[in-house]
Amino acid sequence: MSLNNLLLAAAAFMTVADAAAQSAGIFCDMVDDGRFAAPDDGVAFLPSAAIDAVFFFKNNEYFAPAAEGYTLVGYQLRPTLTWGREQLAVTGGLQALQYGGMDKMSYVRPFAAVRWRPLWWLALQMGCLPGPASHFIHEVVQDPESQLTEKPELGLQVSLRRPRLSAEAWLNWRKFIFKGDTVPERFTAGIKALFRPGSERAAAFSLPASLVFDHIGGQISDYDEPMQSLANVTLSPTLTLWPDSGRFVRAVSFALNAFAFHTMAGSEVRPFDDGWALCPEVALRAKHLEASVGYFHGHDFFAMRGNPLFWSVSNYDASFYEADRDLVTFGASFVTPVTSWGRFSLDFRGYHDVSRSRFDYSYGLTMVLTPRSDLFR
């Protein structure tokens, strides 16, 4: 049996997977809401110090016409101080990104955020946000690598946590403009919801859904770039099974991911205004391991924040256009604790282009350290 037929047979057998598995790669380890959970011990506003650090190596061996390969080597640092208790906490510090081979840092920016919980199930965060990987949206729409390549999210986010429903809405203002500027404003807004109708026993059904909106434009600046308003919708009905305790495999998840793309403004930028995609997947979770396989079929699909390997157009070749894209996807991650405040991760992702019989892949390793220290205690 040829490699192509073998991959198709595997994808046909493993028809669906956990939607979160794609986003829960090595980079979402940076997400840490714990820095806002100051101890509620009756003593108000005792500061605590934290350092979030990630050291990374990621090599993208992409040769498809949709995307070029590259390598990321470097580290991010985020030292912060937090004052407050669980109901209200303020965090301030710095965040910096350094790539290997560059004399200067990519950025050094202030990190400031306030988180308010008016109710036990509702929270409002303003200022810097946890980051794109914290939204847990499928790689097709939100590439988790953006946690390492984009500046910190800055805007506001509302989070809701109920027993059967969790949701969040956020606004990340990417580019601010003044009157007469020659560049457009840019922002990303999104809504993510996860509905769990039943309790988690031997099996459970869940329904993740998301809407991501990207805008490039503005009324008060003078720019040549076309205005764009784009929307991506994701719906991922998921069934998760938990085998008996003591087995190597701790969970098996099946999902049918459905994606939609719509252009509200900027139809002249791409040769299509609307598109869709389906991606059935299956994922296995063990103590330190996660693995997944899926089959992606897209028609005139585009997602500005997603992995460009899934696009019907190229992120570097303006002449490339492929209405239908078919990819068999593979993923495997190994994560192990390093002391009580760190973790080490290995990650592999594979993408087999069915029509071209081409295999693109990426691999990486990450060390994440999150030491904490309560001061004046």
Side-chain angles (χ1 to χ4, degrees):
M1 180 181 290
S2 67
L3 175 61
N4 186 49
N5 291 334
L6 181 62
L7 297 176
L8 289 174
F13 176 72
M14 299 182 177
T15 52
V16 284
D18 184 6
Q22 296 288 344
S23 293
I26 55 177
F27 303 119
C28 74
D29 288 337
M30 291 185 63
V31 178
D32 182 18
D33 287 334
R35 66 179 177 276
F36 291 100
D40 194 359
D41 57 0
V43 181
F45 296 101
L46 285 181
S48 62
I51 298 178
D52 296 315
V54 55
F55 303 87
F56 57 87
F57 168 83
K58 187 171 189 285
N59 184 28
N60 295 327
E61 292 291 334
Y62 300 160
F63 300 97
E68 289 184 303
Y70 52 91
T71 302
L72 296 172
V73 182
Y75 60 86
Q76 279 193 18
L77 295 176
R78 186 171 57 202
T80 56
L81 286 174
T82 297
W83 294 264
R85 293 188 289 181
E86 186 176 0
Q87 185 178 18
L88 178 65
V90 180
T91 294
L94 295 173
Q95 182 160 335
L97 171 64
Q98 174 70 61
Y99 288 125
M102 294 185 64
D103 295 332
K104 296 181 179 180
M105 283 193 162
S106 180
Y107 64 75
V108 179
R109 301 186 62 173
F111 186 95
V114 59
R115 188 178 181 96
W116 176 43
R117 293 184 182 273
L119 302 169
W120 68 266
W121 49 268
L122 183 67
L124 170 65
Q125 184 166 331
M126 301 183 69
C128 292
L129 307 180
S134 69
H135 305 312
F136 291 100
I137 298 177
H138 198 285
E139 175 190 17
V140 170
V141 173
Q142 177 66 69
D143 192 343
E145 184 186 284
S146 59
Q147 192 82 13
L148 298 181
T149 58
E150 296 184 359
K151 295 178 181 179
E153 290 187 334
L154 201 156
L156 68 156
Q157 179 169 311
V158 178
S159 302
L160 180 148
R161 298 291 183 268
R162 301 291 291 182
R164 302 191 187 281
L165 175 65
S166 60
E168 62 183 27
W170 72 94
L171 171 66
N172 176 27
W173 206 272
R174 298 176 176 274
K175 181 64 178 178
F176 179 85
I177 58 173
F178 292 94
K179 187 175 182 179
D181 277 349
T182 58
V183 295
E185 71 181 11
R186 299 171 183 262
F187 66 82
T188 300
I191 300 174
K192 170 69 184 293
L194 176 61
F195 175 61
R196 300 183 182 92
S199 60
E200 296 183 356
R201 296 179 180 176
F205 174 78
S206 61
L207 184 61
S210 67
L211 167 64
V212 178
F213 176 78
D214 278 284
H215 177 72
I216 302 173
Q219 294 176 294
I220 62 174
S221 64
D222 183 12
Y223 55 91
D224 297 328
E225 186 176 348
M227 184 179 74
Q228 298 184 61
S229 294
L230 313 174
N232 286 104
V233 177
T234 305
L235 190 64
S236 302
T238 303
L239 176 66
T240 302
L241 307 177
W242 286 274
D244 295 337
S245 60
R247 293 188 178 183
F248 175 75
V249 176
R250 297 188 172 183
V252 181
S253 298
F254 305 87
L256 179 60
N257 304 293
F259 308 97
F261 163 71
H262 176 62
T263 303
M264 290 166 283
S267 59
E268 70 276 16
V269 177
R270 280 164 293 275
F272 52 89
D273 293 337
D274 300 278
W276 58 270
L278 291 174
C279 185
E281 295 175 302
V282 63
L284 306 177
R285 291 197 295 272
K287 182 177 181 181
H288 297 294
L289 297 173
E290 289 189 5
S292 65
V293 63
Y295 189 90
F296 173 88
H297 173 74
H299 176 75
D300 285 345
F301 186 76
F302 178 78
M304 183 170 288
R305 304 297 156 199
N307 188 329
L309 286 176
F310 298 101
W311 296 355
S312 290
V313 292
S314 173
N315 68 346
Y316 73 98
D317 183 357
S319 65
F320 173 78
Y321 168 55
E322 189 172 77
D324 294 296
R325 296 279 290 157
D326 289 276
L327 300 170
V328 181
T329 64
F330 305 87
S333 299
F334 171 80
V335 183
T336 186
V338 179
T339 72
S340 60
W341 42 266
R343 60 187 68 88
F344 174 76
S345 305
L346 292 171
D347 186 73
F348 173 83
R349 295 289 299 159
Y351 311 88
H352 179 74
D353 189 320
V354 175
S355 62
R356 291 180 171 80
S357 296
R358 180 191 299 276
F359 187 71
D360 297 316
Y361 60 94
S362 67
Y363 58 89
L365 56 90
T366 303
M367 178 76 75
V368 179
L369 304 176
T370 57
R372 298 289 186 269
S373 176
D374 293 331
L375 304 180
F376 310 114
R377 296 178 61 84

